[in-house]
Amino acid sequence: MVYHSHSPATPLGACIERLWYCADVPPHALEHLPTGAFELVINLGEDAFRVRPAGLAGEEGWQELSGAVVAGAYSRCFAADRRAYGSFLGIQFRPGGAFPFLGRPASELADAHVELDALWGSSGVELRERLMEAPSPAACFAPVEEALVRRLRRKPELHPAVAGALRALEIAEGEVRIRDLADDLGLCQRRLIQVFSAEVGMTPKRYQQVRRFQRVYARVRDAADPDWAAIAAEGGYFDQSHLIHEFRRFTGFTPTEFRRRSSAYLPPNHPTTSE
């Protein structure tokens, strides 16, 4: 697989983790783990994109979309069909980073894919056409940055309480009570949930669960014989049963079953292969 990435400068760098380009992608369905962040993907081959909930077999459950799509903040796994993808470009947003470009609350796109032209109109179609004419992978990044700058609906800054909540949930080692977090940030719990969901695309509690799952996954991914009880305790779960319940929620499988299937999944901080 060929992979190039690019970190955009200010003001886009505050919203976007990276721009990336992939080619020679293995022709099979790949399942994506939840990240709590948005992603925009443009197929530079066919004008097509197919996704479905993870774990299904055969041709069941596929959603047929155009070749430029936005993936909302997922809190569960989904599969993307790579058979039609010769090459594609993606924008990996930071948590809450997609909100200034959407023109609508991020919560409306939770656990869903939507075609880019439904959000950007004809400019989404025009961007894909322009990228398909780019002479090289590196030449794709400048047009994307230009389009993103034009689409900025507001300053690329999160609500102060949302930014504070994201920082607190990122560094927390155990369970954080959302009511206590709201008190610390000077809001009532209901208001914090409202602004956080509108900008990030999920509630603070669900985001905390997704981030905790990511941390555990990173720890066990390459472990030969994980001690699940110890991992549960150190990861902020009440007990091993709680950890198993969370794995089932996010992947549809127990941790042991999930590890047997892990080669079919795309890690949270994808892609991991580079030139």
Side-chain angles (χ1 to χ4, degrees), residues 86-236:
S87 60
F88 57 103
L89 182 139
I91 302 169
Q92 186 174 344
F93 292 95
R94 301 183 188 277
F99 177 62
F101 306 94
L102 299 177
R104 64 180 67 179
S107 54
E108 293 184 6
L109 279 66
D111 287 315
H113 281 72
V114 62
E115 293 174 336
L116 183 60
D117 60 3
L119 299 173
W120 288 9
S122 61
S123 62
V125 177
E126 292 166 1
L127 175 61
R128 180 175 178 273
E129 293 174 348
R130 186 177 177 189
L131 294 177
M132 292 180 67
E133 297 173 355
S136 67
C140 290
F141 297 135
V144 173
E145 288 191 80
E146 292 170 8
L148 289 166
V149 169
R150 289 196 301 269
R151 293 296 305 182
L152 274 174
R153 304 275 184 172
R154 55 193 287 276
K155 290 183 178 180
E157 298 175 356
L158 294 171
H159 186 289
V162 174
L166 285 170
R167 287 193 298 269
L169 295 174
E170 185 65 32
I171 65 175
E173 296 182 357
E175 185 81 15
V176 175
R177 293 184 60 192
I178 304 306
R179 177 171 296 178
D180 294 340
L181 179 59
D183 289 342
D184 291 342
L185 294 169
L187 295 180
C188 69
Q189 182 177 355
R190 181 177 180 180
R191 178 58 178 163
L192 175 61
I193 292 172
Q194 181 184 50
V195 297
F196 192 97
S197 299
E199 296 194 4
V200 177
M202 61 178 61
T203 66
K205 181 176 181 179
R206 181 54 56 87
Y207 180 82
Q208 178 177 212
Q209 293 167 344
V210 169
R211 292 299 303 157
R212 182 170 58 192
F213 166 78
Q214 287 184 3
R215 289 192 288 266
V216 168
Y217 173 78
R219 178 172 176 182
V220 305
R221 182 182 175 203
D222 299 317
D225 186 22
D227 183 341
W228 293 110
I231 290 170
E234 295 168 7

Side-chain angles (χ1 to χ4, degrees), residues 47-51 63-70 112-115:
D47 187 13
F49 198 90
R50 300 209 307 165
V51 295
Q63 179 186 6
E64 306 283 345
L65 299 163
S66 67
V69 299
V70 174
H113 281 72
V114 62
E115 293 174 336

Side-chain angles (χ1 to χ4, degrees), residues 34-97:
T35 67
F38 277 63
E39 190 157 35
L40 191 161
V41 181
I42 299 176
N43 186 348
L44 301 180
E46 295 186 25
D47 187 13
F49 198 90
R50 300 209 307 165
V51 295
R52 71 179 180 187
L56 300 180
E59 291 301 305
E60 180 183 359
W62 287 109
Q63 179 186 6
E64 306 283 345
L65 299 163
S66 67
V69 299
V70 174
Y74 268 78
S75 59
R76 53 183 170 81
C77 290
F78 68 87
D81 185 359
R82 298 301 179 94
R83 288 177 293 181
Y85 299 2
S87 60
F88 57 103
L89 182 139
I91 302 169
Q92 186 174 344
F93 292 95
R94 301 183 188 277

Side-chain angles (χ1 to χ4, degrees), residues 239-273:
D239 52 29
Q240 189 171 344
S241 295
H242 186 202
L243 172 61
I244 293 171
H245 174 76
E246 292 288 277
F247 258 78
R248 282 189 180 277
R249 170 186 290 181
F250 294 130
T251 70
F253 300 96
T254 67
T256 301
E257 291 169 339
F258 177 77
R259 277 173 56 80
R260 287 200 296 264
R261 293 171 49 86
S262 61
S263 62
Y265 284 80
L266 194 66
N269 296 319
H270 72 87
T272 57
T273 303

